[in-house]
Amino acid sequence: MIPSILRPLAACALAIVLAAPAPLHAEPPRPVTEADRLFEAGRDASVKGDFARACLHFRESLRLDPTAVGTLINLGDCEENQGHPDVALAYYEQAFARLSVKDDRLPLVHDRISFLEKRSARLELRLGGGAPAETTVTLDGRVLERKELGVSLLLPAGNHLVVVTAVGYRGSRQGVSLGSGEARKLSVWPGPPLEEAVPTFVEHSAAAPHDRERHAGVLRALGIGALGLGVASLWVGSITGLFALDREHLRRDNCDANNVCNATGYDAARSGDTFATVSTITFAAGAVAVVGGLYLVLTNRPAPSPTTAIEPLVSPRGAGLTLRHAF
C-alpha cells in the first residue's frame, strides 16, 4: 500500500499523466463509449478515495475495451491503495509491456513497479511431505489455489496468518511477520492426525461419570440453599404483609374520608407503604428461589446405586430362590 506521505504525490503524478491530452489526429474524435463512461466513473471514485468502487468500474471498462492501457494503470493504482500489491503489480506489468518507449506514462509505471517490489515482501508456501491431497491452505482469510502453492507471492510488509486444514487432521495456524523487501519460504502442514488424540480422550472419558456426579452434587447443594433462602423470604414476606395490613387498619381509624390524617394516621400510612413494598419484594424473591431450588434438586438427583438381593420364589411347580439385581 502507498505510504500516506507519498500517496498525494503519486496520485497527482498519475492524474497528470493519465489526464494529459491525446495527440492530435487527422481523424475526428471517436464517440464516447460505455467503456469510456465506466473509466470516468472509476476516476471519480478514485479521487474520492473509494478505491473498491473504482476498481469495479475499471475492471468492467477493461472488459469492454481490453486494449486500454490507461485502464490497466488505474486498476494497478486502485489495487495498490487497497493493499493488494500482487494484483497491482500484475496490472502494472501488463501496462508496461504494452507501452512504447516514447509514451510519457512509461517512467511512471516503471517507478510503481520498482516501488512495489522494494516496499513489499514475498512468501512462498509449500506443503510438507506426505500432506493429504485435499489439504486447504488459507492466507489472511483467502483460500489459496493449488497453483499458488510453491510460488513466490507478493504481499504487503507486515504480519500475516497461514491456516492449514485437512479432513482427519487437527489443523495448524502460523503467524508470519515479513519486512519490506524480505523473501521467505515456509513449509506448512495440517497438524497431527486426529487418531493421536484418541487415548487422551478415552482417559478423560473414564473419569467423566465421576466429574458429572460431582457437578450434580454442587448443583444439588445450590438448590437446597436456594430452597432455604426461598422459604425464609416467603416467611419474611408473610410477616411484613401482616404488618402492612395492621398499619392499614390503623390508618383508616385515624384518617377521614378525604384522607386527612392525624399524626398517628400519617405514621401508619407511611410505615404501611414500606411494609407493603418489602412484603411484595421478599415474597416474589422467595417464590423464585423456591422454584429454582426445586428445579436444581430434582434435575440433579444422585444416580441410584446398583443393588443385588436374593428373594424367595414360590410357584405351582415348587419353591426356590431368585437373584434380583437393580441398577
Side-chain angles (χ1 to χ4, degrees):
M1 183 178 291
I2 303 176
S4 57
I5 193 172
L6 298 178
R7 186 175 298 166
L9 298 176
C12 290
L14 187 61
I16 292 172
V17 172
L18 297 180
L24 297 177
H25 297 284
E27 304 87 7
R30 63 183 180 84
V32 177
T33 64
E34 181 63 20
D36 297 331
R37 284 190 286 269
L38 288 168
F39 179 84
E40 291 302 325
R43 294 288 302 142
D44 292 341
S46 292
V47 171
K48 296 176 182 177
D50 190 354
F51 297 107
R53 182 176 294 276
C55 279
L56 290 176
H57 290 310
F58 288 139
R59 276 194 289 269
E60 183 61 18
S61 177
L62 186 66
R63 186 186 68 82
L64 297 174
D65 185 6
T67 62
V69 178
T71 306
L72 286 171
I73 298 174
N74 279 275
L75 269 170
D77 178 69
C78 70
E79 292 289 0
E80 182 179 353
N81 278 282
Q82 290 186 94
H84 307 149
D86 52 340
V87 182
L89 184 62
Y91 284 127
Y92 284 145
E93 289 176 340
Q94 290 181 55
F96 188 81
R98 298 183 186 181
L99 292 171
S100 68
V101 294
K102 297 181 180 180
D103 197 307
D104 294 338
R105 297 171 293 183
L106 189 67
L108 173 66
V109 177
H110 180 270
D111 290 344
R112 298 316 308 158
I113 292 175
S114 299
F115 178 83
L116 280 177
E117 291 180 338
K118 291 178 181 178
R119 297 286 298 180
S120 303
R122 290 190 176 274
L123 178 64
E124 180 180 334
L125 298 175
R126 293 181 177 272
L127 284 178
E134 67 278 7
T135 298
T136 300
V137 181
T138 302
L139 176 61
D140 295 335
R142 183 177 71 88
V143 178
L144 299 181
E145 299 179 10
R146 184 64 58 177
K147 63 182 180 181
E148 295 180 283
L149 298 178
V151 177
S152 182
L153 303 175
L154 190 69
L155 302 174
N159 298 322
H160 301 274
L161 178 64
V162 181
V163 179
V164 187
T165 58
V167 177
Y169 291 77
R170 287 187 177 181
S172 65
R173 296 166 59 91
Q174 184 171 355
V176 183
S177 181
L178 300 173
S180 298
E182 182 180 0
R184 189 182 302 184
K185 295 181 180 180
L186 185 65
S187 294
V188 294
W189 179 258
L194 290 176
E195 290 77 11
E196 295 183 4
V198 171
T200 304
F201 173 76
V202 172
E203 179 181 347
H204 285 293
S205 296
H210 175 70
D211 294 339
R212 286 195 298 268
E213 179 59 30
R214 183 172 57 183
H215 181 67
V218 172
L219 294 178
R220 283 197 305 274
L222 290 175
I224 294 172
L227 278 173
L229 180 62
V231 171
S233 297
L234 291 176
W235 181 80
V236 172
S238 301
I239 296 300
T240 52
L242 294 175
F243 286 160
L245 291 175
D246 179 69
R247 298 291 93 184
E248 177 62 17
H249 289 311
L250 186 60
R251 184 194 68 80
R252 291 178 181 177
D253 293 339
N254 290 275
C255 298
D256 59 15
N258 295 322
N259 206 26
V260 176
C261 308
N262 57 22
T264 302
Y266 176 76
D267 291 339
R270 185 173 56 180
S271 59
D273 290 341
T274 301
F275 283 129
T277 301
V278 173
S279 175
T280 301
I281 294 175
T282 55
F283 203 88
V288 172
V290 168
V291 172
L294 284 174
Y295 175 80
L296 290 176
V297 171
L298 295 177
T299 56
N300 294 279
R301 291 179 296 180
S305 302
T307 58
T308 303
I310 300 177
E311 298 178 348
L313 175 63
V314 179
S315 68
R317 297 183 178 181
L321 297 175
T322 182
L323 180 67
R324 182 175 62 83
H325 186 77
F327 295 90

mmCIF file with all atom_site columns, all heavy atoms in Angstrom, residues 30-38 65:
data_model
loop_
_atom_site.group_PDB
_atom_site.id
_atom_site.type_symbol
_atom_site.label_atom_id
_atom_site.label_alt_id
_atom_site.label_comp_id
_atom_site.label_asym_id
_atom_site.label_entity_id
_atom_site.label_seq_id
_atom_site.pdbx_PDB_ins_code
_atom_site.Cartn_x
_atom_site.Cartn_y
_atom_site.Cartn_z
_atom_site.occupancy
_atom_site.B_iso_or_equiv
_atom_site.pdbx_formal_charge
_atom_site.auth_seq_id
_atom_site.auth_comp_id
_atom_site.auth_asym_id
_atom_site.auth_atom_id
_atom_site.pdbx_PDB_model_num
ATOM 1  N N   . ARG A 1 30 ? -13.432 9.897  -31.721 1.00 0.00 ? 30 ARG A N   1
ATOM 2  C CA  . ARG A 1 30 ? -14.397 8.806  -31.707 1.00 0.00 ? 30 ARG A CA  1
ATOM 3  C C   . ARG A 1 30 ? -15.476 9.094  -30.677 1.00 0.00 ? 30 ARG A C   1
ATOM 4  O O   . ARG A 1 30 ? -15.259 9.812  -29.707 1.00 0.00 ? 30 ARG A O   1
ATOM 5  C CB  . ARG A 1 30 ? -13.697 7.480  -31.380 1.00 0.00 ? 30 ARG A CB  1
ATOM 6  C CG  . ARG A 1 30 ? -13.064 7.411  -30.009 1.00 0.00 ? 30 ARG A CG  1
ATOM 7  C CD  . ARG A 1 30 ? -12.346 6.088  -29.806 1.00 0.00 ? 30 ARG A CD  1
ATOM 8  N NE  . ARG A 1 30 ? -11.719 5.995  -28.498 1.00 0.00 ? 30 ARG A NE  1
ATOM 9  C CZ  . ARG A 1 30 ? -12.338 5.613  -27.401 1.00 0.00 ? 30 ARG A CZ  1
ATOM 10 N NH1 . ARG A 1 30 ? -13.625 5.303  -27.446 1.00 0.00 ? 30 ARG A NH1 1
ATOM 11 N NH2 . ARG A 1 30 ? -11.706 5.547  -26.253 1.00 0.00 ? 30 ARG A NH2 1
ATOM 12 N N   . PRO A 1 31 ? -16.653 8.535  -30.849 1.00 0.00 ? 31 PRO A N   1
ATOM 13 C CA  . PRO A 1 31 ? -17.741 8.781  -29.888 1.00 0.00 ? 31 PRO A CA  1
ATOM 14 C C   . PRO A 1 31 ? -17.430 8.141  -28.534 1.00 0.00 ? 31 PRO A C   1
ATOM 15 O O   . PRO A 1 31 ? -16.672 7.177  -28.442 1.00 0.00 ? 31 PRO A O   1
ATOM 16 C CB  . PRO A 1 31 ? -18.943 8.116  -30.560 1.00 0.00 ? 31 PRO A CB  1
ATOM 17 C CG  . PRO A 1 31 ? -18.351 7.085  -31.469 1.00 0.00 ? 31 PRO A CG  1
ATOM 18 C CD  . PRO A 1 31 ? -17.056 7.665  -31.961 1.00 0.00 ? 31 PRO A CD  1
ATOM 19 N N   . VAL A 1 32 ? -18.013 8.727  -27.499 1.00 0.00 ? 32 VAL A N   1
ATOM 20 C CA  . VAL A 1 32 ? -17.824 8.198  -26.145 1.00 0.00 ? 32 VAL A CA  1
ATOM 21 C C   . VAL A 1 32 ? -18.544 6.859  -26.026 1.00 0.00 ? 32 VAL A C   1
ATOM 22 O O   . VAL A 1 32 ? -19.729 6.743  -26.358 1.00 0.00 ? 32 VAL A O   1
ATOM 23 C CB  . VAL A 1 32 ? -18.363 9.189  -25.104 1.00 0.00 ? 32 VAL A CB  1
ATOM 24 C CG1 . VAL A 1 32 ? -18.230 8.608  -23.701 1.00 0.00 ? 32 VAL A CG1 1
ATOM 25 C CG2 . VAL A 1 32 ? -17.633 10.514 -25.208 1.00 0.00 ? 32 VAL A CG2 1
ATOM 26 N N   . THR A 1 33 ? -17.821 5.854  -25.553 1.00 0.00 ? 33 THR A N   1
ATOM 27 C CA  . THR A 1 33 ? -18.383 4.510  -25.421 1.00 0.00 ? 33 THR A CA  1
ATOM 28 C C   . THR A 1 33 ? -18.723 4.228  -23.960 1.00 0.00 ? 33 THR A C   1
ATOM 29 O O   . THR A 1 33 ? -18.410 5.010  -23.057 1.00 0.00 ? 33 THR A O   1
ATOM 30 C CB  . THR A 1 33 ? -17.382 3.466  -25.926 1.00 0.00 ? 33 THR A CB  1
ATOM 31 O OG1 . THR A 1 33 ? -16.216 3.498  -25.084 1.00 0.00 ? 33 THR A OG1 1
ATOM 32 C CG2 . THR A 1 33 ? -16.984 3.745  -27.365 1.00 0.00 ? 33 THR A CG2 1
ATOM 33 N N   . GLU A 1 34 ? -19.364 3.065  -23.744 1.00 0.00 ? 34 GLU A N   1
ATOM 34 C CA  . GLU A 1 34 ? -19.678 2.648  -22.379 1.00 0.00 ? 34 GLU A CA  1
ATOM 35 C C   . GLU A 1 34 ? -18.401 2.413  -21.579 1.00 0.00 ? 34 GLU A C   1
ATOM 36 O O   . GLU A 1 34 ? -18.347 2.699  -20.367 1.00 0.00 ? 34 GLU A O   1
ATOM 37 C CB  . GLU A 1 34 ? -20.522 1.377  -22.415 1.00 0.00 ? 34 GLU A CB  1
ATOM 38 C CG  . GLU A 1 34 ? -20.941 0.860  -21.041 1.00 0.00 ? 34 GLU A CG  1
ATOM 39 C CD  . GLU A 1 34 ? -21.835 1.823  -20.295 1.00 0.00 ? 34 GLU A CD  1
ATOM 40 O OE1 . GLU A 1 34 ? -22.439 2.710  -20.947 1.00 0.00 ? 34 GLU A OE1 1
ATOM 41 O OE2 . GLU A 1 34 ? -21.943 1.700  -19.059 1.00 0.00 ? 34 GLU A OE2 1
ATOM 42 N N   . ALA A 1 35 ? -17.358 1.911  -22.254 1.00 0.00 ? 35 ALA A N   1
ATOM 43 C CA  . ALA A 1 35 ? -16.072 1.721  -21.573 1.00 0.00 ? 35 ALA A CA  1
ATOM 44 C C   . ALA A 1 35 ? -15.511 3.048  -21.102 1.00 0.00 ? 35 ALA A C   1
ATOM 45 O O   . ALA A 1 35 ? -14.943 3.148  -19.998 1.00 0.00 ? 35 ALA A O   1
ATOM 46 C CB  . ALA A 1 35 ? -15.088 1.023  -22.503 1.00 0.00 ? 35 ALA A CB  1
ATOM 47 N N   . ASP A 1 36 ? -15.662 4.107  -21.921 1.00 0.00 ? 36 ASP A N   1
ATOM 48 C CA  . ASP A 1 36 ? -15.195 5.435  -21.517 1.00 0.00 ? 36 ASP A CA  1
ATOM 49 C C   . ASP A 1 36 ? -15.968 5.954  -20.312 1.00 0.00 ? 36 ASP A C   1
ATOM 50 O O   . ASP A 1 36 ? -15.387 6.544  -19.385 1.00 0.00 ? 36 ASP A O   1
ATOM 51 C CB  . ASP A 1 36 ? -15.347 6.416  -22.683 1.00 0.00 ? 36 ASP A CB  1
ATOM 52 C CG  . ASP A 1 36 ? -14.477 6.035  -23.875 1.00 0.00 ? 36 ASP A CG  1
ATOM 53 O OD1 . ASP A 1 36 ? -13.419 5.429  -23.655 1.00 0.00 ? 36 ASP A OD1 1
ATOM 54 O OD2 . ASP A 1 36 ? -14.874 6.327  -25.015 1.00 0.00 ? 36 ASP A OD2 1
ATOM 55 N N   . ARG A 1 37 ? -17.280 5.771  -20.318 1.00 0.00 ? 37 ARG A N   1
ATOM 56 C CA  . ARG A 1 37 ? -18.098 6.242  -19.194 1.00 0.00 ? 37 ARG A CA  1
ATOM 57 C C   . ARG A 1 37 ? -17.723 5.515  -17.901 1.00 0.00 ? 37 ARG A C   1
ATOM 58 O O   . ARG A 1 37 ? -17.663 6.125  -16.832 1.00 0.00 ? 37 ARG A O   1
ATOM 59 C CB  . ARG A 1 37 ? -19.576 6.058  -19.516 1.00 0.00 ? 37 ARG A CB  1
ATOM 60 C CG  . ARG A 1 37 ? -20.115 7.098  -20.499 1.00 0.00 ? 37 ARG A CG  1
ATOM 61 C CD  . ARG A 1 37 ? -21.637 7.022  -20.589 1.00 0.00 ? 37 ARG A CD  1
ATOM 62 N NE  . ARG A 1 37 ? -22.041 5.842  -21.348 1.00 0.00 ? 37 ARG A NE  1
ATOM 63 C CZ  . ARG A 1 37 ? -22.246 5.841  -22.663 1.00 0.00 ? 37 ARG A CZ  1
ATOM 64 N NH1 . ARG A 1 37 ? -22.061 6.956  -23.370 1.00 0.00 ? 37 ARG A NH1 1
ATOM 65 N NH2 . ARG A 1 37 ? -22.631 4.754  -23.286 1.00 0.00 ? 37 ARG A NH2 1
ATOM 66 N N   . LEU A 1 38 ? -17.487 4.201  -18.005 1.00 0.00 ? 38 LEU A N   1
ATOM 67 C CA  . LEU A 1 38 ? -17.084 3.445  -16.812 1.00 0.00 ? 38 LEU A CA  1
ATOM 68 C C   . LEU A 1 38 ? -15.704 3.888  -16.325 1.00 0.00 ? 38 LEU A C   1
ATOM 69 O O   . LEU A 1 38 ? -15.446 3.957  -15.119 1.00 0.00 ? 38 LEU A O   1
ATOM 70 C CB  . LEU A 1 38 ? -17.077 1.953  -17.133 1.00 0.00 ? 38 LEU A CB  1
ATOM 71 C CG  . LEU A 1 38 ? -18.456 1.307  -17.295 1.00 0.00 ? 38 LEU A CG  1
ATOM 72 C CD1 . LEU A 1 38 ? -18.329 -0.076 -17.902 1.00 0.00 ? 38 LEU A CD1 1
ATOM 73 C CD2 . LEU A 1 38 ? -19.149 1.220  -15.944 1.00 0.00 ? 38 LEU A CD2 1
ATOM 74 N N   . ASP A 1 65 ? -13.139 -2.897 -23.176 1.00 0.00 ? 65 ASP A N   1
ATOM 75 C CA  . ASP A 1 65 ? -12.045 -2.418 -24.033 1.00 0.00 ? 65 ASP A CA  1
ATOM 76 C C   . ASP A 1 65 ? -10.725 -2.972 -23.511 1.00 0.00 ? 65 ASP A C   1
ATOM 77 O O   . ASP A 1 65 ? -9.998  -2.296 -22.775 1.00 0.00 ? 65 ASP A O   1
ATOM 78 C CB  . ASP A 1 65 ? -12.028 -0.881 -24.040 1.00 0.00 ? 65 ASP A CB  1
ATOM 79 C CG  . ASP A 1 65 ? -10.989 -0.331 -25.014 1.00 0.00 ? 65 ASP A CG  1
ATOM 80 O OD1 . ASP A 1 65 ? -10.372 -1.137 -25.757 1.00 0.00 ? 65 ASP A OD1 1
ATOM 81 O OD2 . ASP A 1 65 ? -10.785 0.902  -25.026 1.00 0.00 ? 65 ASP A OD2 1
#
